[in-house]
Amino acid sequence: MSHPSIQPADASRMREQALDWFVRRRGEAFDAREEQAFQDWLAADPLHREAFERWGGEWQAFDAIPQDMRSLLQRNLAYDRAMEAASPAGTPAMPAMPSRRRVLVPAVAVAAVVAVAGTGLLVWNHWEAQPVFVQAMATRRGQQLDVPLPDGSRLRLDTATRLEISYYRQRREVRLLEGQAAFSVQGDPARPFHVLAGPLRITVVGTRFFVRHTPDIAGSEGVHVAVEEGRVRVGQAARGAGTEADLLLSPGQQVSSNAQGALSAVSPVSSAGLAPWRDHRVRFDNQRLDRALAELARYGDPRLVIADPAVAALPITGVFDPRDMATFRRVLPASLPVRLKETEGGTAEVVLAR
């Protein structure tokens, strides 16, 4: 039945809405409130029910396809996506010859199911794209937080850290927006665990590792990854997971990137240097004083300021408790050729000792 008054854009939008409702209603988390919203949507326009029932019929047709053929079609779709991702931007992927896997697909069988497989796979992919668990969390300045996850994994967030967690049916994903966190991941080969931090993607199955992403701190705009247990794959997020350019880190190894995602060489890291923040410690190794103060400011107000560029560039080395700024103030003049010039309000300026 045609509806001449319906514009193509409106029909496409209605079809997308119907698909979204169809997929959501198949999920375990669909509740009575959402069901009422769905019924309201159906009642708003008779065409809504027609679009929704069409998706149901197409899903049933796809579900009737033998499992081996359905799996093959899904693998072919994944292959097509991989080819598109590997192609230069704006250039369609055109393999020089058909893959062996595609040659082995029975042509008659494909012709028999392609009409329902296209729409059925769209439903399938839309369903897989819906997260089954979502959580966002953040720590205040000076706060740390331990977080258990539904799969048995655990996170520990350092101060001033923000991240978003999304679990899907075939992958687990954490976006580290800023700060640093320790990850203890429960192994699940069917659902790899990805951490997206700035330009990098860190992928594991089960391990314990640490990621730092502080884009607002000068000199630390990139991402740092260190591994305590298991193995971790690190690569640029824009390239997708599992490319040949990825680096594989083993226990006791670390790697850093700049803000654009260019990776440093892999280097060793001692157990003490993996994540000293877990024990409320910050470690500086010939760090510029202004950057050391910026790091301490993530935990609280150090009430120290620097106006002289020569003072800002002085290197500082040591391990400090960011909660104990009184001790840091006493140690600083003994460690560097500086003195503290007290100003109003309890803040002190760090100046050269003369």
Side-chain angles (χ1 to χ4, degrees):
M1 179 177 179
S2 62
H3 301 274
S5 61
I6 301 296
Q7 298 299 315
D10 294 334
S12 176
R13 182 165 54 253
M14 185 185 305
R15 186 169 168 82
E16 284 294 321
Q17 291 173 351
L19 173 59
D20 184 63
W21 280 118
F22 180 81
V23 171
R24 286 167 59 188
R25 291 186 83 233
R26 295 176 66 90
E28 297 177 359
F30 198 79
D31 57 23
R33 181 181 55 82
E34 291 177 299
E35 176 63 25
Q36 183 58 54
F38 167 66
Q39 295 299 330
D40 293 342
W41 179 80
L42 285 181
D45 191 328
L47 294 178
H48 289 176
R49 183 176 295 277
E50 180 180 324
F52 181 80
E53 291 177 348
R54 185 180 299 117
W55 275 120
E58 289 171 347
W59 177 261
Q60 290 177 3
F62 178 70
D63 206 38
I65 300 172
Q67 179 60 45
D68 56 346
M69 179 59 67
R70 200 158 63 230
S71 299
L72 182 58
L73 289 167
Q74 291 159 9
R75 290 196 301 271
N76 281 345
L77 179 65
Y79 173 81
D80 290 341
R81 285 176 172 173
M83 292 299 296
E84 290 173 1
S87 300
T91 304
M94 296 292 290
M97 63 180 65
S99 72
R100 181 181 180 187
R101 175 165 51 79
R102 285 191 172 275
V103 170
L104 294 177
V105 177
V108 174
V110 170
V113 301
V114 69
V116 296
T119 53
L121 280 172
L122 183 57
V123 177
W124 177 278
N125 292 329
H126 193 84
W127 178 70
E128 284 190 332
Q130 306 305 308
V132 296
F133 173 80
V134 176
Q135 187 173 4
M137 57 190 62
T139 52
R140 301 184 303 275
R141 192 167 63 171
Q143 179 191 21
Q144 292 188 355
L145 183 64
D146 287 302
V147 181
L149 297 179
D151 63 339
S153 300
R154 300 190 68 88
L155 306 182
R156 184 170 182 184
L157 281 61
D158 189 24
T159 180
T161 295
R162 294 187 300 121
L163 54 77
E164 299 171 348
I165 305 166
S166 300
Y167 276 21
Y168 299 87
R169 290 166 179 84
Q170 293 189 346
R171 74 184 190 280
R172 298 166 287 173
E173 186 173 284
V174 173
R175 291 184 177 272
L176 180 59
L177 304 177
E178 66 173 330
Q180 54 188 354
F183 297 82
S184 181
V185 177
Q186 186 71 26
D188 185 353
R191 288 199 304 167
F193 194 104
H194 303 288
V195 178
L196 302 175
L200 297 190
R201 177 193 300 271
I202 301 99
T203 302
V204 304
V205 172
T207 186
R208 189 158 55 246
F209 63 104
F210 311 92
V211 182
R212 176 187 172 99
H213 175 46
T214 49
D216 295 331
I217 296 184
S220 300
E221 301 91 343
V223 180
H224 180 77
V225 183
V227 179
E228 185 174 35
E229 182 179 295
R231 294 199 298 174
V232 167
R233 187 177 296 276
V234 181
Q236 293 189 2
R239 293 175 177 165
T243 68
E244 293 183 357
D246 289 356
L247 295 178
L248 191 62
L249 301 184
S250 297
Q253 291 185 324
Q254 62 183 346
V255 72
S256 298
S257 82
N258 61 15
Q260 291 71 44
L263 292 170
S264 68
V266 176
S267 63
V269 57
S270 66
S271 58
L274 276 168
W277 57 265
R278 288 181 296 177
D279 299 318
H280 302 287
R281 295 290 184 271
V282 292
R283 180 185 298 271
F284 302 127
D285 184 9
N286 284 322
Q287 179 66 279
R288 285 175 55 105
L289 182 58
D290 57 349
R291 294 177 182 175
L293 292 183
E295 178 66 17
L296 291 170
R298 297 180 61 243
Y299 298 85
D301 186 358
R303 304 181 73 81
L304 295 172
V305 297
I306 299 175
D308 187 345
V311 173
L314 291 173
I316 185 171
T317 296
V319 179
F320 304 93
D321 184 340
R323 302 169 300 175
D324 184 6
M325 287 305 302
T327 297
F328 182 82
R329 282 175 171 239
R330 290 197 303 270
V331 169
L332 189 59
S335 305
L336 297 175
V338 299
R339 62 183 177 88
L340 303 186
K341 180 181 178 182
E342 298 293 337
T343 62
E344 294 183 2
T347 299
E349 181 182 355
V350 186
V351 299
L352 288 174
R354 290 188 172 90

CSV table of all heavy atoms in Angstrom, one decimal, residues 25 66 158 222 332 344:
chain,number,residue,atom,x,y,z
A,25,ARG,N,12.6,-3.4,22.1
A,25,ARG,CA,11.6,-4.3,22.8
A,25,ARG,C,12.1,-5.7,22.9
A,25,ARG,O,11.6,-6.5,23.7
A,25,ARG,CB,10.3,-4.3,22.0
A,25,ARG,CG,9.6,-2.9,22.1
A,25,ARG,CD,8.2,-3.0,21.4
A,25,ARG,NE,7.2,-3.5,22.3
A,25,ARG,CZ,6.4,-4.6,22.0
A,25,ARG,NH1,6.5,-5.2,20.9
A,25,ARG,NH2,5.5,-5.0,22.9
A,66,PRO,N,18.9,-20.9,7.5
A,66,PRO,CA,19.7,-21.8,8.3
A,66,PRO,C,20.9,-21.1,8.9
A,66,PRO,O,21.5,-20.1,8.4
A,66,PRO,CB,20.2,-22.8,7.2
A,66,PRO,CG,19.2,-22.8,6.1
A,66,PRO,CD,18.7,-21.3,6.1
A,158,ASP,N,41.7,7.3,39.6
A,158,ASP,CA,42.5,8.3,40.4
A,158,ASP,C,41.7,9.6,40.4
A,158,ASP,O,40.6,9.7,39.9
A,158,ASP,CB,43.9,8.5,39.7
A,158,ASP,CG,44.8,9.3,40.5
A,158,ASP,OD1,44.7,9.3,41.7
A,158,ASP,OD2,45.7,9.9,39.9
A,222,GLY,N,49.3,13.5,25.8
A,222,GLY,CA,49.1,12.3,25.2
A,222,GLY,C,48.6,11.2,26.1
A,222,GLY,O,47.9,11.5,27.1
A,332,LEU,N,60.8,21.7,49.1
A,332,LEU,CA,61.1,22.3,47.8
A,332,LEU,C,62.3,23.2,47.9
A,332,LEU,O,63.2,23.1,47.0
A,332,LEU,CB,59.9,23.1,47.3
A,332,LEU,CG,59.9,23.7,45.9
A,332,LEU,CD1,60.1,22.6,44.9
A,332,LEU,CD2,58.6,24.5,45.6
A,344,GLU,N,49.4,37.3,49.9
A,344,GLU,CA,48.1,37.3,50.6
A,344,GLU,C,47.3,36.1,50.4
A,344,GLU,O,47.3,35.5,49.3
A,344,GLU,CB,47.3,38.6,50.2
A,344,GLU,CG,47.9,39.9,50.6
A,344,GLU,CD,47.1,41.1,50.3
A,344,GLU,OE1,46.0,40.8,49.7
A,344,GLU,OE2,47.5,42.2,50.5
